[in-house]
Amino acid sequence: MIGFKKDNNEFDWRSVPAVDPDEVDRWLGCTDAKDRQFPLQVALQVHDEIEARLMQSGEVDDADLREARGGMRALRRFAELYSKILEGRR
């Protein structure tokens, strides 16, 4: 699987290949509107999991809170960029 080291579950972002604009165009050209929503659905699922963790009873330490906020910001930014890509495709 891309990104995961064989000996543990640590994700290595350097292993993710660079975006090839031609591949993006081919993917967008061979998927329908419903299939193109899948990345946003995955982002929503992750967002909801982070939110659920924050809403659990008990205290959240500062480091976990910062990580959650950063993750939610990153998901929002992804959704903004991806939505703009889809809008440009229409």
Side-chain angles (χ1 to χ4, degrees), residues 2-36:
I2 292 176
F4 286 96
K5 297 178 181 179
K6 292 181 182 178
D7 56 350
N8 60 25
N9 284 334
E10 183 179 332
F11 191 82
D12 181 9
W13 284 100
R14 294 171 298 212
S15 68
V16 177
V19 174
D20 178 351
D22 293 334
E23 286 294 321
V24 172
D25 286 340
R26 280 192 283 278
W27 182 76
L28 289 172
C30 71
T31 56
D32 61 17
K34 183 180 176 185
D35 289 339
R36 288 191 291 270

Side-chain angles (χ1 to χ4, degrees), residues 12-79:
D12 181 9
W13 284 100
R14 294 171 298 212
S15 68
V16 177
V19 174
D20 178 351
D22 293 334
E23 286 294 321
V24 172
D25 286 340
R26 280 192 283 278
W27 182 76
L28 289 172
C30 71
T31 56
D32 61 17
K34 183 180 176 185
D35 289 339
R36 288 191 291 270
Q37 294 301 311
F38 182 69
L40 289 173
Q41 292 167 330
V42 171
L44 177 59
Q45 175 65 33
V46 174
H47 179 278
D48 288 349
E49 289 175 12
I50 293 170
E51 187 175 60
R53 191 176 81 207
L54 290 174
M55 298 305 292
Q56 291 175 350
S57 62
E59 291 188 24
V60 178
D61 70 21
D62 190 52
D64 286 341
L65 184 58
R66 288 174 188 262
E67 181 182 24
R69 286 179 176 165
M72 292 175 99
R73 285 185 185 120
L75 289 166
R76 182 182 64 225
R77 184 67 179 138
F78 165 77

